[in-house]
Amino acid sequence: MSSDDHILEHIFNPSGPLNMKEISEPEDDPEPSTEQEKDAKHLELEAVKLAEQNDFDESLKLFNKAIEKAPNIASLYNNRAQLLRLKGDNVLALDDINRAIQLGGRGRSATQAYTQRAMLHMLNGDEEAARLDFERASELGGKFARCQAAKLNPYAKMCNQMLNKAMESLQ
């Protein structure tokens, strides 16, 4: 596909891949290898269930216990950040998101953490920082992030505006 074809593809399909290579699924996070990590992952599952039942305080206690047992598992921080956001504590959530990104490498937790951080940037009105985080999550395989990054891309916005004007003038 030529460069012009790629540009047209982005104009007519802004939620398509941002670069010329296909985007794959996010990599799985590493499996827990120690008993402490396995215990922490079990606590994490229980904490998620409690959060889904709106028992945020007990859920937070379990996430904290899990992180004490295995402080190097990215998903623990990412999921606790989601809980903190539900509780309305975006400042602490951002700390956990940044830690998840540090630990997450190229795994699913890093993809989700970049997406969460982008959403927080959007809440704070920082579209450029959001776009960069959505693009990073997209590079790691995040499909929702890919769509959001395309929507925030200034060139795509400009091309879509020009295309809409051209289409209106033809009617």
Side-chain angles (χ1 to χ4, degrees):
M1 193 181 291
S2 73
S3 180
D4 289 343
D5 290 337
H6 282 288
I7 291 169
L8 288 173
E9 175 64 23
H10 285 298
I11 290 170
F12 292 112
N13 184 16
S15 62
L18 296 174
N19 54 25
M20 294 182 193
K21 63 181 181 183
E22 283 299 315
I23 297 175
S24 61
E25 289 292 316
E27 293 177 14
D28 288 332
D29 290 332
E31 289 293 321
S33 57
T34 68
E35 284 306 311
Q36 282 187 308
E37 288 176 347
K38 290 175 185 175
D39 289 346
K41 291 298 283 182
H42 176 74
L43 287 170
E44 178 184 30
L45 291 175
E46 293 302 313
V48 168
K49 286 179 190 174
L50 287 170
E52 289 171 348
Q53 297 167 2
N54 294 323
D55 192 349
F56 297 155
D57 292 334
E58 288 303 313
S59 176
L60 183 58
K61 288 177 186 174
L62 289 183
F63 276 124
N64 291 340
K65 277 186 189 178
I67 288 171
E68 284 176 26
K69 285 184 175 280
N72 292 321
I73 297 178
S75 67
L76 299 176
Y77 294 94
N78 188 57
N79 286 325
R80 185 172 72 175
Q82 289 178 355
L83 174 66
L84 291 168
R85 287 182 60 207
L86 287 172
K87 289 179 62 121
D89 194 341
N90 290 340
V91 173
L92 282 178
L94 184 58
D95 290 341
D96 275 0
I97 290 167
N98 288 332
R99 184 70 177 136
I101 289 169
Q102 285 177 331
L103 296 171
R106 298 191 52 80
R108 189 170 308 279
S109 291
T111 305
Q112 293 170 347
Y114 276 111
T115 301
Q116 276 202 86
R117 191 168 74 180
M119 297 299 287
L120 286 176
H121 288 314
M122 290 296 292
L123 283 173
N124 293 328
D126 190 348
E127 275 194 13
E128 179 60 16
R131 182 182 63 80
L132 293 173
D133 276 346
F134 279 135
E135 285 180 1
R136 182 66 181 126
S138 174
E139 290 168 6
L140 295 173
K143 291 178 180 160
F144 171 78
R146 176 181 53 195
C147 292
Q148 296 305 307
K151 288 178 185 176
L152 294 174
N153 183 313
Y155 299 109
K157 283 182 182 180
M158 183 178 63
C159 288
N160 282 328
Q161 287 172 351
M162 291 179 356
L163 183 61
N164 285 335
K165 284 181 183 177
M167 296 300 276
E168 287 173 8
S169 69
L170 291 175
Q171 293 178 350

